[in-house]
Amino acid sequence: MESIVLFGPPGAGKGTQAQRITEKTGLPQVSTGDMLRAAVAAGTQTGLEAKEYMDSGKLVPDGVIIKLIVDRLMEADAKNGVMFDGFPRTIPQAEALSKITSVSHVISIEVPDAKIVERICGRFTCKACGFVYHEVFNPPRSVGKCDHCDISEFNKRADDNEETVMSRLAAYHEQTSPLAEWYMSKGILHAIDGDRDIDSITQDILKSLN
Ligand code: AMP
């Protein structure tokens, strides 16, 4: 099987949709953002290099990201393809990816800039399983308790604040959005309206994967 890319601005719902689609396709979710946050928390060399960029909402240099991905794709669970979430984010990353694995679908989740800030500022994740919630749009079924595990502790990302969101959006428009055209020219880009309820978006993504 080939890999899938979930593409879109910060806060578009890539992580939320990846968690749902992984259950259906069996492809493991590979989120460079999650990998970098784990590296920062563990205090590794990669984490030390990445932290300053992440805190200021800038993209981490391509060399750091490509090395992370090369290593991740060598793991056994990646042999039948993966679902990329938040990668690639630049043309050099996409070019590097094309040399190591083939991508069958790029799902572009489109959300207007005006909606991004409220989406990002309200989100939080379960401390144990990492499931993504939103205070208004996607709260846990019982207040204060994760739907997927027996825990009631949540994390808010350090970079999910109004100030950093603006530089993350700027990085998206300058460095990442040109990738949409790059993938469109290869005939594998599927645009999905991400400004709707979560279930409708999941259904449309699954339809475009068929
Ligand atoms: P995310 O969780 O995907 O929103 O990523 C959080 C932050 O990690 C971004 O704002 C970047 O600083 C960094 N990051 C994640 N993925 C990449 C990538 N593919 N290329 C460069 N930086 C990345």
Side-chain angles (χ1 to χ4, degrees):
M1 200 196 271
E2 295 166 303
S3 292
I4 293 168
V5 170
L6 286 185
F7 180 82
K14 299 184 295 294
T16 301
Q17 295 298 336
Q19 285 170 339
R20 294 170 148 229
I21 289 154
T22 282
E23 285 170 21
K24 309 266 183 206
T25 61
L27 295 178
Q29 176 186 3
V30 171
S31 156
T32 39
D34 285 349
M35 292 162 81
L36 291 168
R37 279 183 287 280
V40 170
T44 64
Q45 183 59 35
T46 301
L48 292 175
E49 279 179 60
K51 187 173 184 322
E52 205 181 305
Y53 295 95
M54 297 171 78
D55 286 347
S56 59
K58 298 200 174 109
L59 292 188
V60 173
D62 288 335
V64 175
I65 299 292
I66 292 165
K67 173 154 191 345
L68 268 184
I69 289 293
V70 168
D71 291 348
R72 178 64 184 87
L73 292 186
M74 283 187 332
E75 289 176 32
D77 68 337
K79 72 175 192 307
N80 293 324
V82 303
M83 164 147 342
F84 292 108
D85 155 15
F87 172 86
R89 259 170 150 109
T90 63
I91 302 268
Q93 290 180 19
E95 282 169 345
L97 180 63
S98 69
K99 295 191 180 112
I100 49 178
T101 191
S102 74
V103 171
S104 60
H105 297 76
V106 176
I107 307 290
S108 173
I109 306 179
E110 300 184 342
V111 176
D113 282 8
K115 298 284 173 81
I116 297 292
V117 176
E118 64 173 344
R119 280 185 172 221
I120 284 193
C121 294
R123 82 179 167 186
F124 58 95
T125 55
C126 170
K127 224 172 183 174
C129 71
F131 203 81
V132 187
Y133 295 100
H134 188 281
E135 285 160 12
V136 179
F137 308 123
N138 185 26
R141 282 194 286 270
S142 344
V143 180
K145 194 177 159 304
C146 179
D147 296 348
H148 302 274
C149 51
D150 210 10
I151 189 162
S152 51
E153 283 186 73
F154 298 96
N155 271 334
K156 211 167 163 47
R157 279 172 47 173
D159 59 348
D160 276 354
N161 58 68
E162 215 161 312
E163 195 187 322
T164 312
V165 169
M166 299 323 283
S167 44
R168 287 160 68 195
L169 260 179
Y172 174 75
H173 288 300
E174 281 160 29
Q175 292 166 275
T176 307
S177 62
L179 267 179
E181 216 162 289
W182 198 82
Y183 279 123
M184 202 187 295
S185 71
K186 300 190 181 311
I188 56 172
L189 189 88
H190 302 258
I192 305 274
D193 176 4
D195 191 13
R196 293 175 300 153
D197 66 281
I198 296 173
D199 286 340
S200 309
I201 299 167
T202 309
Q203 277 166 18
D204 278 5
I205 295 176
L206 290 172
K207 264 190 236 151
S208 61
L209 292 179
N210 281 331

